[in-house]
Amino acid sequence: MDPENPVVKLCSQGMQAEAARRPEEAQECFQRAWDVATDDYEACIAAHYLARHQLTPEGTRHWNQVSLDRAQAVDDDRVRPFFASLHLNLGRCAEDRGDFATARAHYQQAVDALPHVPEGPYRNVVEQGLGAAIARVGR
């Protein structure tokens, strides 16, 4: 991701606010990122972060689905590394609703997308999340 992109900058500021335990400020940054997004790629990023600050499980599911939909609309490889995390998040939403069949399907899609996530700390987090998810709902 281009750190100079306005959406990426706002999401980075939001993550810093989260780390400083200022959730309202974080949510405002993520909302501004959504408001200034100019294409599906930027909207995918902003929606991913907006999902983190919803007051209801349905709101969280909605923004995770928006993020996935926008990622699928991008016609290049920039979003390929995102799919594992996006399906992991949607799987968790389904699991929390008690819809284990849908959760397992999303978790399998996340596993299938994992090879597109570069090695490193982010991939490690996604792999750990998937491992825990699969342990909870079975294969």
Side-chain angles (χ1 to χ4, degrees), residues 71-95:
Q72 289 171 330
V74 175
D75 194 22
D76 61 47
D77 290 340
R78 291 177 295 170
V79 295
R80 287 181 82 180
F82 299 172
F83 285 106
S85 176
L86 295 174
H87 282 291
L88 176 61
N89 292 345
L90 281 165
R92 185 59 192 242
C93 290
E95 185 181 340

Side-chain angles (χ1 to χ4, degrees), residues 99-110:
D99 184 352
F100 298 110
T102 299
R104 282 190 288 278
H106 277 295
Y107 293 149
Q108 184 57 55
Q109 288 176 290

Side-chain angles (χ1 to χ4, degrees), residues 9-19 22 25-27 29-30 53:
K9 279 184 176 181
L10 284 165
C11 290
S12 179
Q13 291 170 3
M15 291 297 292
Q16 291 171 356
E18 276 186 5
R22 297 188 312 265
E25 180 183 332
Q27 199 280 335
C29 289
F30 302 143
H53 287 271

Side-chain angles (χ1 to χ4, degrees), residues 4-132:
E4 296 305 312
N5 177 293
V7 169
V8 173
K9 279 184 176 181
L10 284 165
C11 290
S12 179
Q13 291 170 3
M15 291 297 292
Q16 291 171 356
E18 276 186 5
R21 300 190 193 286
R22 297 188 312 265
E24 295 85 10
E25 180 183 332
Q27 199 280 335
E28 288 172 14
C29 289
F30 302 143
Q31 183 63 55
R32 283 194 324 228
W34 173 258
D35 293 341
V36 302
T38 61
D39 61 16
D40 288 319
Y41 175 75
E42 291 177 348
C44 164
I45 294 167
H48 168 74
Y49 286 101
L50 273 171
R52 298 162 59 105
H53 287 271
Q54 297 305 301
L55 299 176
T56 66
E58 184 52 36
T60 300
R61 189 211 59 76
H62 167 77
W63 284 106
N64 279 312
Q65 186 64 55
V66 168
S67 184
L68 178 62
D69 293 344
R70 292 299 187 103
Q72 289 171 330
V74 175
D75 194 22
D76 61 47
D77 290 340
R78 291 177 295 170
V79 295
R80 287 181 82 180
F82 299 172
F83 285 106
S85 176
L86 295 174
H87 282 291
L88 176 61
N89 292 345
L90 281 165
R92 185 59 192 242
C93 290
E95 185 181 340
D96 289 347
R97 287 191 323 270
D99 184 352
F100 298 110
T102 299
R104 282 190 288 278
H106 277 295
Y107 293 149
Q108 184 57 55
Q109 288 176 290
V111 167
D112 295 345
L114 198 56
H116 301 291
V117 181
E119 294 291 334
Y122 176 70
R123 181 180 174 137
N124 295 342
V125 167
V126 173
E127 285 178 325
Q128 289 171 356
L130 275 172

